[in-house]
Amino acid sequence: MTTTPAPVKAPSSPRKINGLEIVEVEFAETPLSTPSKSIRFKQIVKILLEDGSVTYGCAWAGCGFTGDTSFAIRPHLRVHAPETPDISKLSVGELLELAESAHTLRTDLNQTTRERDRLAKSLNEDWKPRALAAERQLSSIQRALAPVT
């Protein structure tokens, strides 16, 4: 079950369902929700129609799939999942190519992670001395520009 804390805004949807105007769209609550904490699906929306009825729909852009309950939508979400290739049908050359590609992606990910960590450390450690130096410079400029009394 895909869950997330309740988002601020639900995705856009069609204007009508079964000839009825849509009044409101929000992400549907999961069974994990409690009175103190609302937990909502990322891919399933609850749709309030003009006659007061409620239906549920797929949150993927351009997908108009709807159902009577949020659980009716869950099996449908598989159509949006990326296809996984059947590696048993690949040649040795294709497997080696795939392995090399995975290795390259892993190397790039490791480099990017190291760079992100370096930048985060730099931001966390270097900002304070620079801010104090800037405050000193600003103070001296203010003193220089202050009217003589």
Side-chain angles (χ1 to χ4, degrees):
M1 178 182 316
T2 304
T3 61
T4 186
V8 176
K9 182 181 174 190
S12 62
S13 62
R15 297 278 182 222
K16 288 187 175 189
I17 294 179
N18 297 330
L20 296 171
E21 288 286 328
I22 294 174
V23 175
E24 186 180 349
V25 178
E26 63 181 21
F27 285 98
E29 284 196 26
T30 72
L32 300 174
S33 291
T34 63
S36 63
K37 184 177 181 183
S38 177
I39 300 177
R40 299 184 181 261
F41 289 106
K42 289 182 184 179
Q43 301 175 351
I44 301 173
V45 291
K46 178 181 175 182
I47 305 167
L48 176 62
L49 301 173
E50 67 181 330
D51 67 351
S53 64
V54 173
T55 190
Y56 295 84
C58 176
W60 279 75
C63 182
F65 188 86
T66 61
D68 294 334
T69 66
S70 61
F71 294 108
I73 307 301
R74 291 182 68 201
H76 159 79
L77 296 175
R78 280 184 253 150
V79 302
H80 299 295
E83 289 186 29
T84 305
D86 181 6
I87 61 170
S88 65
K89 295 180 181 172
L90 297 177
S91 69
V92 173
E94 292 170 324
L95 284 172
L96 290 173
E97 207 174 289
L98 190 59
E100 183 178 343
S101 176
H103 176 71
T104 301
L105 289 172
R106 172 59 69 188
T107 302
D108 290 348
L109 175 62
N110 289 339
Q111 288 174 346
T112 303
T113 301
R114 283 192 301 273
E115 179 67 9
R116 183 204 62 211
D117 292 344
R118 185 189 66 75
L119 290 171
K121 182 180 177 187
S122 172
L123 280 174
N124 289 333
E125 293 176 355
D126 295 344
W127 72 268
K128 193 169 185 176
R130 290 193 325 249
L132 292 171
E135 283 179 346
R136 284 191 298 274
Q137 290 174 347
L138 180 59
S139 180
S140 65
I141 291 170
Q142 287 172 335
R143 282 192 306 275
L145 295 177
V148 178
T149 55

Coordinates of all heavy atoms in Angstrom, one line a residue, residues 53-90:
S53 N -22.8 12.1 -4.1 CA -22.2 10.8 -4.1 C -20.7 10.9 -4.2 O -20.2 11.9 -4.6 CB -22.7 9.9 -5.3 OG -22.4 10.5 -6.5
V54 N -20.0 9.8 -3.8 CA -18.6 9.8 -3.8 C -18.1 8.6 -4.6 O -18.7 7.5 -4.6 CB -18.0 9.6 -2.3 CG1 -16.5 9.4 -2.3 CG2 -18.4 10.8 -1.5
T55 N -17.1 8.9 -5.4 CA -16.5 7.8 -6.2 C -15.0 8.0 -6.0 O -14.5 9.0 -5.5 CB -16.9 7.9 -7.7 OG1 -16.4 6.7 -8.4 CG2 -16.3 9.1 -8.4
Y56 N -14.2 7.0 -6.5 CA -12.7 7.1 -6.3 C -12.1 7.0 -7.7 O -12.7 6.4 -8.6 CB -12.3 6.0 -5.4 CG -12.8 6.2 -4.0 CD1 -14.0 5.7 -3.6 CD2 -12.0 6.8 -3.1 CE1 -14.5 5.9 -2.3 CE2 -12.4 7.0 -1.8 CZ -13.7 6.6 -1.4 OH -14.1 6.8 -0.1
G57 N -11.0 7.6 -7.9 CA -10.3 7.5 -9.2 C -8.8 7.4 -9.1 O -8.2 7.6 -8.1
C58 N -8.2 7.1 -10.3 CA -6.8 7.1 -10.4 C -6.3 8.5 -10.5 O -6.8 9.3 -11.2 CB -6.4 6.3 -11.7 SG -4.7 6.2 -12.0
A59 N -5.2 8.8 -9.8 CA -4.7 10.1 -9.7 C -3.7 10.4 -10.8 O -3.2 11.5 -11.0 CB -4.0 10.4 -8.4
W60 N -3.4 9.4 -11.7 CA -2.4 9.7 -12.8 C -3.0 10.6 -13.8 O -4.2 10.5 -14.1 CB -2.1 8.4 -13.5 CG -1.0 7.6 -12.7 CD1 -1.2 6.9 -11.6 CD2 0.3 7.4 -13.1 NE1 0.0 6.3 -11.2 CE2 0.9 6.6 -12.1 CE3 1.1 7.9 -14.1 CZ2 2.3 6.3 -12.1 CZ3 2.4 7.6 -14.1 CH2 3.0 6.8 -13.2
A61 N -2.2 11.6 -14.2 CA -2.7 12.6 -15.2 C -3.2 12.0 -16.4 O -2.6 11.1 -17.0 CB -1.5 13.6 -15.5
G62 N -4.4 12.4 -16.8 CA -5.0 11.9 -18.0 C -5.7 10.5 -17.9 O -6.3 10.1 -18.9
C63 N -5.6 9.9 -16.7 CA -6.3 8.6 -16.6 C -7.7 8.8 -16.0 O -7.8 9.5 -14.9 CB -5.4 7.7 -15.6 SG -6.2 6.1 -15.4
G64 N -8.7 8.3 -16.6 CA -10.0 8.5 -16.1 C -10.6 7.3 -15.4 O -11.8 7.2 -15.2
F65 N -9.8 6.4 -15.0 CA -10.3 5.2 -14.3 C -10.9 5.5 -13.0 O -10.4 6.2 -12.2 CB -9.2 4.2 -14.1 CG -9.6 2.8 -13.6 CD1 -10.1 1.9 -14.5 CD2 -9.7 2.5 -12.2 CE1 -10.5 0.6 -14.0 CE2 -10.1 1.3 -11.8 CZ -10.6 0.4 -12.7
T66 N -12.2 5.0 -12.7 CA -12.9 5.3 -11.5 C -13.4 4.0 -10.9 O -13.6 3.0 -11.7 CB -14.0 6.3 -11.6 OG1 -15.0 5.8 -12.6 CG2 -13.5 7.6 -12.1
G67 N -13.8 4.0 -9.6 CA -14.4 2.8 -9.0 C -15.2 3.2 -7.8 O -15.1 4.4 -7.3
D68 N -16.0 2.3 -7.2 CA -16.8 2.6 -6.1 C -16.1 2.8 -4.8 O -16.5 3.4 -3.9 CB -17.9 1.5 -5.9 CG -18.8 1.5 -7.1 OD1 -19.0 2.6 -7.8 OD2 -19.4 0.4 -7.4
T69 N -14.9 2.1 -4.7 CA -14.1 2.2 -3.5 C -12.6 2.5 -3.8 O -12.2 2.3 -5.0 CB -14.2 0.9 -2.6 OG1 -13.5 -0.1 -3.4 CG2 -15.6 0.5 -2.3
S70 N -11.9 2.9 -2.8 CA -10.4 3.1 -3.1 C -9.8 1.8 -3.4 O -8.8 1.7 -4.2 CB -9.8 3.8 -1.9 OG -9.9 3.0 -0.7
F71 N -10.3 0.7 -2.8 CA -9.7 -0.6 -3.1 C -10.0 -1.1 -4.5 O -9.2 -2.0 -5.0 CB -10.1 -1.6 -2.0 CG -9.6 -1.3 -0.6 CD1 -10.5 -0.8 0.3 CD2 -8.3 -1.4 -0.3 CE1 -10.0 -0.5 1.6 CE2 -7.8 -1.1 0.9 CZ -8.7 -0.6 1.9
A72 N -11.0 -0.6 -5.1 CA -11.3 -1.0 -6.5 C -10.2 -0.4 -7.4 O -10.0 -0.8 -8.6 CB -12.7 -0.5 -6.9
I73 N -9.6 0.7 -7.0 CA -8.6 1.4 -7.9 C -7.2 0.7 -7.8 O -6.5 0.7 -8.7 CB -8.5 2.9 -7.4 CG1 -9.8 3.6 -7.4 CG2 -7.5 3.6 -8.3 CD1 -10.6 3.5 -8.7
R74 N -6.9 0.1 -6.6 CA -5.6 -0.4 -6.4 C -5.1 -1.4 -7.5 O -4.0 -1.2 -8.0 CB -5.5 -1.0 -5.0 CG -5.6 0.1 -4.0 CD -5.4 -0.4 -2.6 NE -4.1 -0.9 -2.4 CZ -3.8 -1.7 -1.4 NH1 -4.7 -2.2 -0.6 NH2 -2.5 -2.1 -1.2
P75 N -5.9 -2.4 -7.9 CA -5.4 -3.3 -9.0 C -5.1 -2.5 -10.3 O -4.2 -2.9 -11.0 CB -6.5 -4.3 -9.1 CG -7.3 -4.2 -7.9 CD -7.2 -2.8 -7.4
H76 N -5.9 -1.5 -10.6 CA -5.7 -0.7 -11.8 C -4.3 0.0 -11.9 O -3.8 0.1 -12.9 CB -6.8 0.3 -11.9 CG -6.4 1.4 -12.8 ND1 -6.5 1.3 -14.2 CD2 -6.0 2.7 -12.6 CE1 -6.1 2.5 -14.8 NE2 -5.8 3.3 -13.8
L77 N -3.8 0.3 -10.7 CA -2.5 1.1 -10.7 C -1.4 0.4 -11.3 O -0.4 1.0 -11.7 CB -2.2 1.5 -9.2 CG -3.2 2.5 -8.6 CD1 -2.8 2.7 -7.1 CD2 -3.3 3.8 -9.4
R78 N -1.5 -1.0 -11.4 CA -0.4 -1.8 -12.1 C -0.2 -1.4 -13.5 O 0.9 -1.5 -14.1 CB -0.7 -3.2 -12.0 CG -0.4 -3.8 -10.6 CD -0.6 -5.3 -10.6 NE -1.8 -5.4 -9.8 CZ -2.7 -6.4 -9.9 NH1 -2.5 -7.3 -10.8 NH2 -3.7 -6.5 -9.1
V79 N -1.2 -0.8 -14.2 CA -1.1 -0.5 -15.6 C -0.1 0.7 -15.7 O 0.4 0.9 -16.8 CB -2.4 -0.1 -16.3 CG1 -3.4 -1.3 -16.3 CG2 -3.0 1.1 -15.8
H80 N 0.1 1.5 -14.7 CA 1.0 2.6 -14.7 C 2.4 2.3 -14.3 O 3.3 3.1 -14.4 CB 0.5 3.7 -13.8 CG -0.8 4.3 -14.2 ND1 -1.1 4.9 -15.4 CD2 -2.1 4.2 -13.6 CE1 -2.3 5.2 -15.5 NE2 -3.0 4.8 -14.5
A81 N 2.6 1.0 -13.8 CA 4.0 0.6 -13.4 C 4.9 0.4 -14.6 O 4.4 -0.1 -15.6 CB 3.9 -0.7 -12.5
P82 N 6.1 0.7 -14.5 CA 7.1 0.5 -15.6 C 7.2 -1.0 -15.8 O 7.2 -1.8 -14.9 CB 8.4 1.1 -15.1 CG 8.3 1.3 -13.7 CD 6.8 1.3 -13.3
E83 N 7.4 -1.4 -17.1 CA 7.6 -2.8 -17.4 C 9.0 -3.2 -17.0 O 10.0 -2.5 -17.2 CB 7.3 -3.1 -18.9 CG 5.9 -2.9 -19.3 CD 5.7 -3.3 -20.7 OE1 6.4 -4.2 -21.2 OE2 4.7 -2.8 -21.3
T84 N 9.1 -4.4 -16.4 CA 10.4 -5.0 -16.1 C 10.7 -6.0 -17.2 O 9.9 -6.9 -17.4 CB 10.3 -5.7 -14.7 OG1 9.9 -4.8 -13.8 CG2 11.7 -6.2 -14.3
P85 N 11.9 -5.9 -17.8 CA 12.3 -6.8 -18.9 C 12.5 -8.2 -18.3 O 13.0 -8.4 -17.2 CB 13.5 -6.2 -19.5 CG 14.1 -5.4 -18.4 CD 12.9 -4.9 -17.6
D86 N 12.2 -9.2 -19.1 CA 12.4 -10.6 -18.7 C 13.9 -10.9 -19.1 O 14.2 -11.1 -20.3 CB 11.5 -11.5 -19.5 CG 11.7 -13.0 -19.1 OD1 12.5 -13.3 -18.2 OD2 11.0 -13.8 -19.7
I87 N 14.8 -10.9 -18.1 CA 16.2 -11.1 -18.5 C 16.6 -12.5 -18.9 O 17.6 -12.7 -19.5 CB 17.1 -10.7 -17.3 CG1 16.8 -11.5 -16.0 CG2 17.0 -9.2 -17.0 CD1 17.9 -11.3 -15.0
S88 N 15.7 -13.4 -18.7 CA 16.0 -14.8 -19.1 C 16.0 -14.9 -20.6 O 16.5 -15.9 -21.2 CB 14.9 -15.8 -18.5 OG 13.7 -15.5 -19.0
K89 N 15.4 -14.0 -21.3 CA 15.3 -14.0 -22.8 C 16.4 -13.2 -23.4 O 16.4 -13.0 -24.7 CB 13.9 -13.6 -23.2 CG 12.8 -14.5 -22.8 CD 11.5 -14.1 -23.2 CE 10.4 -15.1 -22.7 NZ 9.1 -14.6 -22.9
L90 N 17.3 -12.5 -22.6 CA 18.3 -11.7 -23.2 C 19.6 -12.5 -23.5 O 19.8 -13.5 -22.9 CB 18.7 -10.6 -22.2 CG 17.6 -9.6 -21.8 CD1 18.2 -8.6 -20.7 CD2 17.1 -8.8 -23.0

